[in-house]
Amino acid sequence: MTEQEIYSKLEDVFHEVLEDDDIRLEASTVADDIEDWDSLAQIELVAGIEAEFNIKLSMCEIEGLANVGAMVDVIATKVA
Amino acid sequence: MMALHSFQELKRAKKLSRDGLPTVKVAITGDCSTQHLSMAIEGACVLRGVSATVYDADYDLVSQLLLDSGSDLYAFAPDIILIQLCTEKLYERYLSLGRDDRQQFSSLTLNEVRQLWRAVETNSRARVLQCTFPEIDDRVFGGYALKLPWSFIAQIRKLNVLLADETTSDDRVELLDLCGIASRVGCLRDDRLWYSAKMPLSLDAISEVADITAAGIAAHLGIVKKCVVVDLDGTIWGGVIGDDGLSGIELGELGSGPAFTAMQQWLKELVRRGMILAVCSKNDEAVARSVFENHPDMILSLDDIACFVANWEDKATNISFIQRSLNIGMDSIVFLDDNPFERNLVREMLPQVTVPELPEDPAVRLSYLQGLDLFEAAGWSEEDAERTSQYIAEGKRRATEAEFGSLDDYLESLQMRAVARPFDSWHAPRIAQLTQRSNQFNLRTIRYSEEDILRISRSDNCITRYFTLEDRFGDYGLIAVVILELRDEAEAFIDTLLMSCRVLKRGVEEVVVNCIADAAREAGCTKVVGEYIPTKKNALVRDFYPASGFSRSDDGLFVLDLNRFHGLSSHVQIME
């Protein structure tokens, strides 16, 4: 899966969970940049990512998701 | 594990239109994180036809909020308080105890939980919805732990049983059975969410729990299924009677028979509970009936079927006929058919009917249906079990009706006798149930719990009457309820007046009005005041008061002047 495909699918997850289709993601995007991306939404985002990419993240990996770039990196290692 | 709706679907459902939906206030408190559960319950309620306002208490404040009568939680004035104490926290407590206390752990915990319930009873009129404790088995002793009464698994299992015992006699507390859900759908926990967010349930589990919670809440608001309409060929037996003949029907041990037998056993249990069962089949009626009469492995008998329709008309027309014959709401019907064409036709023509998407494989259908939680009950009385025989008696009445030239002659021939009595504790469950379930012939649609009914029956300024009716074909059971509130100036206000639609227009209405007038006179009143509160479903009684001799007053109420009222005539004889 290319990085672009990961970004595109990840945006779908964000759109569904945060109910905002205008969200655009970049590697540097962090929770503070997006309204409603709080700790509750984070739990739903992880569930959405796991379902969308059919992967399972460990607790450490989830805690390490500081920004979108880190999300994409960890997804890339799992779907490769 | 597959919940009925995903968490995101439930979250989106919160935003759907709630026009005309009954409302309920739910407070949720737990010793764990409950925010997602709160969101999911609000959404699941909308999907079950209820507009819920949810108060999600802050983390781990259960005792503080419930023991303090001035807390924000009580200020919210909830109708329901959901208490989620998690097994994980109990386990931590257990670990800190010595052997003696471990032996007593379930009863000690029960006492603490009971104190919370008592506090709610003192401080609020809310019902408690108490989560049971999904088992945690630490496997320290492996399977041997069950031989050790002080092991955690032995204690937690016992605690769940104690909780259930405790609630059988407590009208104000119900269990939200997380253990039961776990045994149906598998492990409810996502270990990562417990350690990182103090959430004892995965998002999928939360969706499942929310849906079941919503089903229970809806049932308490009178949103219940009353009738299951079943297809025959391919649905309650394998094969097609018209083509395969009696010997080709799969039931019992033949072919897929065991799965169909299990389906019939389940339907029979629903009938025993009080669900009405009707048949809607494309068949010659005599051929369809022959299976009931002659197949040795049939579990259902013709006596279980309140309305048997087998012909070649379309099924929407037939279901409409069944609905009119039984005089029940279209939205209280569930239609089971293995044929997707028939299901879609009924969905299209009768959108209010619930039509489960039966799986093609007969082996998995029953579990699928059970997982939909369509038959949630808010209570149960012996009278429910009599319902089918009542509907069959009703069929005989209709047959007799056709023989008489005039309606009056017919009604007279029924020899109807009604009994009116003040509420008593024996009838309280059925009375409460009627206030919760009657939608059409209900002037104010005030819902009461069993506890409310008992309180009202003891109140000095209330006069209560329940009515039972029988005729030469059978017993209708408890069919009408009246609550009068005595107000100043010798005035009796009709707080509640409702009647089962099964006995509509037979003279019961008149007898009830006469009884109201008599009771009010006895209490020294000179007038009776009635109010009609319109809902989506009670247009039937919009003109009930004017038609019964009440006159409209300026404030929109209806007044019966007892000095001028001399009683209405009726074919129903009243026995005090």
Side-chain angles (χ1 to χ4, degrees):
Chain A
M1 196 177 295
T2 66
E3 197 173 276
Q4 202 183 349
E5 284 169 333
I6 294 178
Y7 267 100
S8 158
K9 284 185 158 199
L10 194 55
E11 277 182 353
D12 290 344
V13 172
F14 272 73
H15 294 167
E16 172 165 32
V17 169
L18 300 175
E19 296 169 77
D20 178 359
D21 287 349
D22 295 332
I23 292 174
R24 294 287 170 266
L25 300 178
E26 291 170 27
S28 62
T29 309
V30 292
D32 283 346
D33 298 332
I34 296 177
E35 211 190 329
D36 296 334
W37 184 359
D38 55 15
S39 60
L40 292 183
Q42 176 79 357
I43 288 165
E44 297 167 41
L45 287 170
V46 169
I49 289 167
E50 291 186 330
E52 180 72 36
F53 295 96
N54 196 21
I55 57 173
K56 209 79 187 163
L57 303 179
S58 73
M59 190 159 67
C60 289
E61 285 164 339
I62 294 168
E63 279 168 7
L65 301 177
N67 58 28
V68 168
M71 279 182 175
V72 173
D73 288 345
V74 76
I75 292 167
T77 62
K78 303 236 165 191
V79 295
Chain B
M1 173 182 126
M2 208 42 216
L4 193 56
H5 303 283
S6 74
F7 180 81
Q8 295 302 328
E9 282 168 350
L10 295 181
K11 214 169 81 175
R12 278 198 296 277
K14 282 166 60 181
K15 298 190 175 156
L16 295 174
S17 162
R18 302 181 184 196
D19 285 351
L21 299 187
T23 58
V24 69
K25 288 163 99 174
V26 186
I28 298 178
T29 177
D31 60 1
C32 48
S33 171
T34 53
Q35 290 122 309
H36 285 98
L37 182 62
S38 298
M39 289 189 250
I41 285 177
E42 189 178 339
C45 279
V46 177
L47 295 178
R48 294 270 179 176
V50 176
S51 174
T53 312
V54 177
Y55 169 94
D56 181 47
D58 286 338
Y59 175 73
D60 205 6
L61 289 178
V62 182
S63 308
Q64 289 91 322
L65 290 171
L66 296 183
L67 299 179
D68 172 10
S69 61
S71 71
D72 287 353
L73 186 146
Y74 290 127
F76 171 72
D79 302 301
I80 297 163
I81 299 175
L82 190 156
I83 306 177
Q84 185 186 20
L85 305 172
C86 61
T87 319
E88 286 78 1
K89 287 276 174 79
L90 279 191
Y91 185 59
E92 284 169 18
R93 288 250 309 283
Y94 171 87
L95 293 179
S96 70
L97 301 176
R99 176 97 46 88
D100 287 348
D101 286 336
R102 288 183 176 192
Q103 181 103 22
Q104 305 299 322
F105 189 70
S106 54
S107 36
L108 293 173
T109 309
L110 177 71
N111 275 337
E112 286 171 20
V113 174
R114 213 193 270 137
Q115 277 174 17
L116 298 175
W117 300 349
R118 292 296 93 82
V120 171
E121 236 163 68
T122 313
N123 296 323
S124 152
R125 291 191 53 195
R127 274 189 302 121
V128 169
L129 204 47
Q130 173 71 49
C131 294
T132 60
F133 295 91
E135 294 178 0
I136 291 179
D137 184 352
D138 60 17
R139 305 303 291 167
V140 167
F141 287 90
Y144 193 76
L146 290 174
K147 282 182 176 285
L148 305 171
W150 41 265
S151 71
F152 187 69
I153 185 70
Q155 288 294 319
I156 201 76
R157 216 165 260 182
K158 191 169 170 191
L159 174 58
N160 283 319
V161 173
L162 290 174
L163 282 175
D165 283 349
E166 193 74 15
T167 53
T168 52
S169 58
D170 191 334
D171 184 44
R172 295 276 300 272
V173 182
E174 273 172 46
L175 295 181
L176 176 53
D177 190 16
L178 302 190
C179 297
I181 298 173
S183 65
R184 275 195 293 124
V185 304
C187 182
L188 304 182
R189 186 169 123 152
D190 179 332
D191 294 327
R192 300 166 306 169
L193 289 180
W194 170 248
Y195 293 120
S196 62
K198 289 285 177 280
M199 286 170 64
L201 301 174
S202 70
L203 286 182
D204 278 345
I206 282 174
S207 308
E208 188 74 31
V209 171
D211 183 56
I212 286 168
T213 308
I217 291 172
H220 273 281
L221 291 169
I223 303 173
V224 291
K225 301 302 172 194
K226 295 177 179 166
C227 172
V228 184
V229 178
V230 292
D231 167 55
L232 299 178
D233 293 325
T235 300
I236 69 162
W237 58 65
V240 177
I241 181 62
D243 297 338
D244 304 323
L246 200 63
S247 63
I249 290 300
E250 294 181 31
L251 269 179
E253 291 308 310
L254 182 68
S256 306
F260 290 103
T261 298
M263 176 69 81
Q264 289 202 17
Q265 284 166 332
W266 188 62
L267 291 169
K268 182 111 180 172
E269 284 305 301
L270 286 175
V271 171
R272 286 201 173 114
R273 176 198 143 170
M275 205 58 60
I276 310 163
L277 190 61
V279 162
C280 176
S281 164
K282 279 192 173 152
N283 256 314
D284 282 328
E285 185 166 344
V287 174
R289 282 179 181 269
S290 72
V291 183
F292 284 81
E293 287 156 352
N294 300 323
H295 200 293
D297 293 321
M298 279 293 288
I299 304 288
L300 292 169
S301 71
L302 288 171
D303 287 344
D304 296 319
I305 312 295
C307 189
F308 196 107
V309 179
N311 58 34
W312 302 96
E313 300 257 347
D314 76 87
K315 294 212 171 182
T317 303
N318 282 334
I319 291 174
S320 299
F321 170 80
I322 291 169
Q323 179 256 332
R324 284 195 309 276
S325 320
L326 299 174
N327 204 1
I328 54 176
M330 201 61 100
D331 56 3
S332 68
I333 295 177
V334 177
F335 174 55
L336 303 182
D337 197 314
D338 66 312
N339 183 335
F341 169 83
E342 305 291 3
R343 292 200 297 264
N344 286 330
L345 177 103
V346 171
R347 281 193 195 112
E348 187 69 28
M349 308 292 292
L350 306 171
Q352 286 178 290
V353 173
T354 300
V355 187
E357 190 61 16
L358 278 195
E360 204 176 323
D361 181 358
V364 299
R365 282 184 197 158
L366 183 54
S367 299
Y368 168 79
L369 279 176
Q370 290 167 340
L372 293 180
D373 279 303
L374 291 170
F375 304 105
E376 200 63 37
W380 188 82
S381 62
E382 288 294 338
E383 194 155 336
D384 288 313
E386 301 299 316
R387 195 161 295 128
T388 294
S389 57
Q390 289 171 351
Y391 279 99
I392 288 173
E394 180 62 20
K396 289 186 187 149
R397 282 181 199 106
R398 278 172 197 265
T400 314
E401 184 176 355
E403 295 165 16
F404 281 89
S406 83
L407 183 64
D408 277 339
D409 291 347
Y410 163 65
L411 291 176
E412 198 57 44
S413 78
L414 290 177
Q415 300 159 16
M416 290 179 284
R417 297 169 303 278
V419 173
R421 293 220 171 89
F423 294 176
D424 53 45
S425 55
W426 176 255
H427 290 90
R430 170 65 179 156
I431 293 166
Q433 190 190 47
L434 264 182
T435 70
Q436 286 155 14
R437 291 171 54 144
S438 302
N439 295 314
Q440 300 180 71
F441 199 110
N442 197 338
L443 274 302
R444 294 179 78 236
T445 321
I446 312 286
R447 312 294 193 192
Y448 288 117
S449 69
E450 200 176 321
E451 168 127 339
D452 293 332
I453 291 299
L454 291 172
R455 184 172 45 77
I456 291 166
S457 72
R458 289 190 298 261
S459 161
D460 283 338
N461 64 338
C462 287
I463 302 176
T464 62
R465 291 286 185 276
Y466 71 83
F467 295 78
T468 59
L469 181 71
E470 58 178 35
D471 67 14
R472 68 186 172 103
F473 291 104
D475 194 345
Y476 295 81
L478 202 162
I479 41 87
V481 172
V482 168
I483 299 172
L484 298 180
E485 185 193 332
L486 298 176
R487 293 187 167 174
D488 300 339
E489 296 156 28
E491 168 187 319
F493 178 74
I494 304 177
D495 172 86
T496 290
L497 197 180
L498 61 87
M499 192 180 87
S500 164
C501 277
R502 293 182 289 127
V503 296
L504 204 60
K505 296 199 166 78
R506 296 196 179 160
V508 178
E509 295 92 325
E510 288 79 4
V511 160
V512 168
V513 170
N514 293 344
C515 275
I516 289 174
D518 290 347
R521 270 194 201 107
E522 252 173 59
C525 297
T526 55
K527 63 178 180 175
V528 176
V529 176
E531 182 185 22
Y532 166 67
I533 303 179
T535 69
K536 262 177 146 179
K537 292 191 164 178
N538 73 351
L540 175 73
V541 290
R542 194 182 47 211
D543 299 319
F544 174 75
Y545 284 128
S548 305
F550 288 64
S551 47
R552 205 179 292 266
S553 69
D554 296 337
D555 46 8
L557 301 175
F558 300 91
V559 180
L560 185 69
D561 180 351
L562 291 175
N563 293 322
R564 294 190 188 171
F565 180 73
H566 304 298
L568 305 171
S569 70
S570 168
H571 292 285
V572 179
Q573 201 187 340
I574 188 86
M575 344 270 281
E576 285 295 337

